[in-house]
Amino acid sequence: MRSRDEASIPRFLDIEDMMNLEQLPYVSLAHLPTPIDELPRLSQELGGPRLLVKRDDQTGLATGGNKIRKLEFLMGEALDQGADMVITAGAAQSNHCRQTAAAAAHVGLGCALVLGGEPTPTPTGNLLLDQLLGAKIYWTGPDRRGERLEEIADQVRADGHQLYVIPYGGSNVVGATGYVLAMQELVKQQLGELRVDRIVFASSSGGTQAGMVVGARATGFGGEIIGVKIDKGEVGDDPYTLRLARLANETAAHVGLDSKFTPDDFLVAEDYLGGGYGVVGELEREAIQLTARLEGLILDPVYTGRAMGGLIDMIRRGLIGSDETVLFWHTGGMPAVFSYVDALV
């Protein structure tokens, strides 16, 4: 873990209201800041708006992705608590689980993954990387959202491990802190002529969106933040925006920001759920192919493909104006492409 006297987190310090950040356990994992690229050919194809992409697929560590920002704080806390192993859960092709396994290997911790589905004789995509990274996998059939995480965590503890439990998607106050600071990073990158009217990205377990909204409030970012919901499944009975507001309030308290959030503070596009989680339809297929062929940019079939499909649809329907500047936040996931050959070609 980086020590405090190494100016370990200088990108935090411009957010004056946040008094707790220097006390939070943290370990450096990500290549930051991630670049912002133009998407001129895609923009031209759609008749505007100006399109940018924030490349969190380039955070490094086992092909990168947005979860690395969360894991800088989650792994920091695991080390601070003296854990020798972490455990988390997700679908068989979970990007979060792959990045957790990589982060654990990088800092010298064991990793257990609770994955929905059944063992496969020929692992591909993220699952192949999970195994290469040394993760111990527990299969749970139809349960892919961490329903059996605590049950299996108890089994791992019984084997004598000092265990640190990371929730589904890394989406608690510790993980969401990474995206509070991601907004600080973006605001710094907006110096000069760059002004972003809207941010569009994939939203699922909620930590990325909650952290972004807290960070936007802290930094004074004035653009809209639109999460494209990619999963029909819900945890509990609460509406998604209510859960986002609850997590945002807890995260704000965690980082020392005196601010309150309600469900009305969250914009969620729920029109693009298609066939459900991980099901590739024409929306995702067109978005992935169009972005690849026009920009050489690879999206994944579960998250960014659906989010880009939603963005393209919003532009075509006139919900986003041709004179706007829109930033698509690429949350990663490229390894999953190799498990969706039949759906993509």
Side-chain angles (χ1 to χ4, degrees), residues 13 35 87 91 98 100 106 114 123 154 158 171 262-263 274 304 338:
L13 302 181
I87 188 170
R98 178 252 307 164
T100 299
H106 188 73
V114 179
D154 287 341
S171 290
T262 72
T304 54
F338 302 107

Side-chain angles (χ1 to χ4, degrees), residues 100-252:
T100 299
H106 188 73
V107 302
L109 298 179
C111 180
L113 300 178
V114 179
L115 300 183
E118 305 292 340
T120 174
T122 308
T124 61
N126 283 311
L127 183 56
L128 172 61
L129 296 181
D130 293 340
Q131 296 186 14
L132 290 175
L133 291 162
K136 181 175 177 57
I137 296 173
Y138 296 82
W139 293 98
T140 59
D143 298 325
R144 63 164 183 82
R145 294 178 63 89
E147 294 91 340
R148 295 181 58 195
L149 178 58
E150 289 297 335
E151 171 196 338
I152 294 173
D154 287 341
Q155 297 177 23
V156 175
R157 290 189 187 98
D159 290 335
H161 288 288
Q162 183 69 27
L163 192 63
Y164 181 83
V165 178
I166 297 174
Y168 179 80
S171 290
N172 59 9
V173 298
V174 179
T177 300
Y179 267 86
V180 178
L181 278 303
M183 288 303 297
Q184 165 79 1
E185 178 180 301
L186 174 63
V187 167
K188 287 184 176 181
Q189 290 176 306
Q190 286 192 94
L191 297 177
E193 296 182 358
L194 176 62
R195 290 293 181 271
V196 173
D197 298 302
R198 303 178 197 245
I199 299 171
V200 177
F201 60 98
S203 188
S204 178
S205 59
T208 297
Q209 187 161 4
M212 280 186 180
V213 171
V214 174
R217 179 78 59 85
T219 59
F221 175 79
E224 285 191 343
I225 297 173
I226 305 173
V228 177
K229 197 164 185 291
I230 60 89
D231 193 352
K232 292 181 178 179
E234 298 287 355
V235 178
D237 297 325
D238 293 337
Y240 189 52
T241 53
L242 179 58
R243 290 192 284 117
L244 289 171
R246 185 180 297 123
L247 179 54
N249 284 320
E250 293 170 353
T251 302

Side-chain angles (χ1 to χ4, degrees), residues 297-343:
L297 181 68
I298 305 301
L299 305 178
D300 84 288
V302 180
Y303 296 93
T304 54
R306 182 160 291 177
M308 179 62 82
L311 172 57
I312 290 170
D313 181 70
M314 285 185 272
I315 293 170
R316 287 173 172 165
R317 291 165 58 197
L319 300 177
I320 295 176
S322 61
D323 59 343
E324 296 185 35
T325 297
V326 179
L327 183 141
F328 180 78
W329 205 303
H330 193 326
T331 52
M334 189 272 288
V337 168
F338 302 107
S339 293
Y340 282 80
V341 175
D342 292 341

